[in-house]
Amino acid sequence: MAQTGQLVDPYRNFNFLVQIDGITQAGFSECSGLSSTTEVVEYREGGDNTTVHKLPGKTAYGDITLKWGITDNLDLWNWRQQIIDGQVVRKHGTLVLFDFDASTERARWNFIRAWPTKCELPSFSAKGNEVAIETLTLAHEGLTRA
């Protein structure tokens, strides 16, 4: 008779770390957009008029969006400024997911040849008291799970 397996809860999405080559950012409040999509190429074969074959085409990777509270650290701002100045500096990065204890690594995704395509500053209001959140969008050329 087969034994019942141990129930494993899914990991939570709040204990994470984003590392980018040579950039030390205190912490990100959000990281989104890590995705890959493979194009479907439809192919009709002669003599087979009832079926369309579906073949894999090129794979594209979604842009990564990072959000963090503004501090004195200018590393990401300076990287974006290099792109504006015509110096395309590509960097590799990693998203690490931790367990509840915030020290046990549970999953890791690596992205390659990233560069910042967009920087968005927060809206400012004298009536508000929220943290000022800066947003950076990264284009990249690959995503793997390590």
Side-chain angles (χ1 to χ4, degrees), residues 28-140:
F28 294 97
S29 59
E30 187 177 326
C31 175
S32 61
L34 285 98
S35 65
S36 66
T37 304
T38 302
E39 180 181 90
V40 176
V41 178
E42 294 187 352
Y43 171 74
R44 290 188 60 181
E45 189 172 0
D48 186 0
N49 297 326
T50 60
T51 306
V52 175
H53 299 282
K54 296 190 178 200
L55 306 173
K58 68 179 181 177
T59 298
Y61 299 95
D63 291 344
I64 299 169
T65 302
L66 300 173
K67 295 184 179 186
W68 69 96
I70 296 176
T71 64
D72 292 339
N73 187 318
L74 295 176
D75 290 344
L76 293 171
W77 178 268
N78 291 337
W79 185 27
R80 173 68 182 134
Q81 189 61 50
Q82 286 178 305
I83 300 299
I84 293 169
D85 294 341
Q87 303 170 19
V88 180
V89 178
R90 295 174 183 264
K91 297 180 181 283
H92 303 307
T94 301
L95 170 67
V96 182
L97 179 66
F98 294 100
D99 209 343
F100 284 112
D101 62 9
S103 63
T104 304
E105 183 178 316
R106 292 299 180 185
R108 174 180 290 258
W109 294 268
N110 298 313
F111 54 92
I112 60 168
R113 297 181 45 80
W115 58 278
T117 64
K118 179 181 178 182
C119 178
E120 186 175 340
L121 298 177
S123 297
F124 296 98
S125 170
K127 297 178 187 178
N129 64 355
E130 297 87 14
V131 172
I133 301 292
E134 190 169 357
T135 303
L136 188 70
T137 303
L138 303 177
H140 65 97

